[in-house]
Amino acid sequence: MRKPLLSAFMAAGIGLLAATSSHAAAKTDFNVCWTIYAGWMPWEFAQAQGIVDKWAKKYGIHVALTQLNDYVESINQYTAGQFDGCTMTNMDALTIPAAGGVDSTALIVSDYSNGNDGVVIKGAGKTVSDLKGMDVNLVELSVSHYLLARALDTANLREKDLKVINTSDADISAAFNTESVQAVTTWNPMLADIKTTPGVTEVFSSSQIPGEILDMMVVNTETLKDNPALGKVLTGAWFEVMSMMNAKDASSEAAEEHMAKASGTDLAGFRSQLATTHLFFTAHDALVFAKSPDLPETMAKVANFSFEHGLLGDGAPDSNVVGMSFANDVTLGDQANLKLRFDPTYVQMAVDGAL
């Protein structure tokens, strides 16, 4: 998951043009994109097993879920109006489509990283303090970068105390296998692969900042407003798969076997990734999280990090430039520029049995 700056702002510029022309109309065909990640494999399963089609038929629409191989590119294409929705993290939702002027809604906060992201140093017995003076390879200006910043806070270090080396998610495992790379920050499945290297230490992980790195299904707000059936289909299909996985029976094992194979691993490997992914298996749990006062507090931290790293636009005066809304009429930032909405309306419908 997660992103370089230039492509983000290129896409944002395109998105400004696309947002007013491609959306804001009732329609029957929708396309949503996703990329491989443990917490998002249920979308692949829902598509492959006809669960999405079943829900779409109920509402008289068609929803295609399209897998893209590049996480960054998936968000860029969503921002440019080529998709109606896309899986992404909370930080990327803020810094790419929202900062680019595309009004977006977090339809489902599906999980948070609870160890799926980590900082690894070569050598036994290492600590965060050992990062001082090191080069650290990561996907620059991504949630990996955010995780590193949060790790450094625990050791009274700052980014100026080390050097960040921008490395794509596709290349980071291979880079770690070279002698020149001593430390990386990354996410699963690359993290799991890197941690199997003999004599390495994971010095910090997202389990130490639970609820801060969120994985979400994000949809275009205008599209959702004009086509509530899309929200109902995606939410209904998602929690149907969650219920199946949570059953802990033969059907859930078969579902996880399918997801493991589709993500390029085996059942044991997939389950190890699920173990560090705090999935909200019930709509009730997802709703409680979405309504928690912790969520706006987390997004304030994310906005501050994003502003400090120039991710909210060259002309951004402060971290409040992009407005965000939450449950219970809570807002952050510029309400005249409200571009990211954490709206639990459809999850509430799932809780109420109203889908």
Side-chain angles (χ1 to χ4, degrees), residues 196-207:
T196 63
T197 307
V200 304
T201 307
E202 183 178 48
V203 298
F204 194 84
S205 85
S206 52
S207 65

Side-chain angles (χ1 to χ4, degrees), residues 32-36 40-41 43-44 65-68 86-87:
V32 173
C33 58
W34 64 279
T35 50
I36 288 180
W40 292 331
M41 293 314 296
W43 289 116
E44 188 278 338
L65 267 70
T66 301
Q67 179 194 343
L68 297 184
C86 186
T87 54

Side-chain angles (χ1 to χ4, degrees), residues 29-343:
D29 289 277
F30 303 89
N31 204 347
V32 173
C33 58
W34 64 279
T35 50
I36 288 180
Y37 171 68
W40 292 331
M41 293 314 296
W43 289 116
E44 188 278 338
F45 181 81
Q47 177 86 333
Q49 300 299 308
I51 295 171
V52 171
D53 288 343
K54 180 188 75 173
W55 280 89
K57 185 176 180 181
K58 177 179 180 178
Y59 288 100
I61 64 174
H62 178 261
V63 180
L65 267 70
T66 301
Q67 179 194 343
L68 297 184
N69 293 324
D70 187 298
Y71 170 70
V72 175
E73 184 59 22
S74 70
I75 307 176
N76 287 346
Q77 289 192 29
Y78 161 77
T79 302
Q82 295 175 37
F83 289 94
D84 300 296
C86 186
T87 54
M88 65 187 78
T89 67
N90 51 328
M91 191 175 102
D92 293 327
L94 173 65
T95 61
I96 306 184
V102 178
D103 195 329
S104 297
T105 295
L107 180 72
I108 305 167
V109 178
S110 53
D111 69 84
Y112 63 77
S113 176
N114 197 32
N116 255 335
D117 299 74
V119 184
V120 179
I121 304 177
K122 287 179 179 174
K126 298 293 185 179
T127 68
V128 172
S129 296
D130 291 310
L131 291 169
K132 187 173 183 178
M134 280 192 173
D135 291 351
V136 182
N137 292 65
L138 51 74
V139 179
E140 194 172 8
L141 307 175
S142 70
V143 290
S144 288
H145 204 154
Y146 175 80
L147 182 74
L148 176 65
R150 295 288 279 119
L152 294 175
D153 287 341
T154 67
N156 293 317
L157 294 175
R158 295 293 175 262
E159 283 187 50
K160 63 182 177 59
D161 296 319
L162 49 78
K163 184 178 180 182
V164 167
I165 305 297
N166 188 32
T167 309
S168 77
D169 53 331
D171 297 333
I172 203 154
S173 291
F176 193 72
N177 288 329
T178 64
E179 289 187 9
S180 61
V181 175
Q182 295 300 307
V184 298
T185 305
T186 190
W187 59 86
N188 279 327
M190 295 81 69
L191 177 64
D193 176 55
I194 286 167
K195 285 165 62 176
T196 63
T197 307
V200 304
T201 307
E202 183 178 48
V203 298
F204 194 84
S205 85
S206 52
S207 65
Q208 291 161 263
I209 51 167
E212 291 192 29
I213 297 178
L214 309 177
D215 300 306
M216 316 189 303
M217 171 56 75
V218 173
V219 296
N220 181 280
T221 299
E222 287 300 315
T223 299
L224 182 64
K225 179 181 176 182
D226 293 333
N227 302 275
L230 175 63
K232 294 177 182 179
V233 169
L234 291 173
T235 306
W238 178 260
F239 285 111
E240 180 172 334
V241 178
M242 288 299 99
S243 178
M244 186 182 300
M245 292 177 69
N246 199 35
K248 309 299 182 187
D249 57 13
S251 65
S252 59
E253 181 165 333
E256 289 176 13
E257 285 267 18
H258 175 102
M259 294 179 214
K261 184 176 181 181
S263 64
T265 187
D266 57 17
L267 182 60
F270 185 65
R271 283 181 169 171
S272 72
Q273 294 175 40
L274 286 181
T276 51
T277 307
H278 187 98
L279 279 164
F280 298 115
F281 285 110
T282 68
H284 174 267
D285 288 349
L287 184 64
V288 168
F289 185 87
K291 288 187 171 183
S292 167
D294 294 338
L295 181 54
E297 291 177 11
T298 290
M299 290 310 299
K301 292 177 187 174
V302 171
N304 285 333
F305 171 89
S306 300
F307 171 68
E308 289 169 2
H309 289 79
L311 293 172
L312 299 180
D314 293 336
D318 53 42
S319 63
N320 293 313
V321 64
V322 177
M324 293 181 275
S325 66
F326 305 85
N328 304 314
D329 297 320
V330 174
T331 59
L332 291 177
D334 185 355
Q335 294 186 49
N337 186 38
L338 199 60
K339 297 299 180 184
L340 183 57
R341 304 164 194 267
F342 290 82
D343 184 356

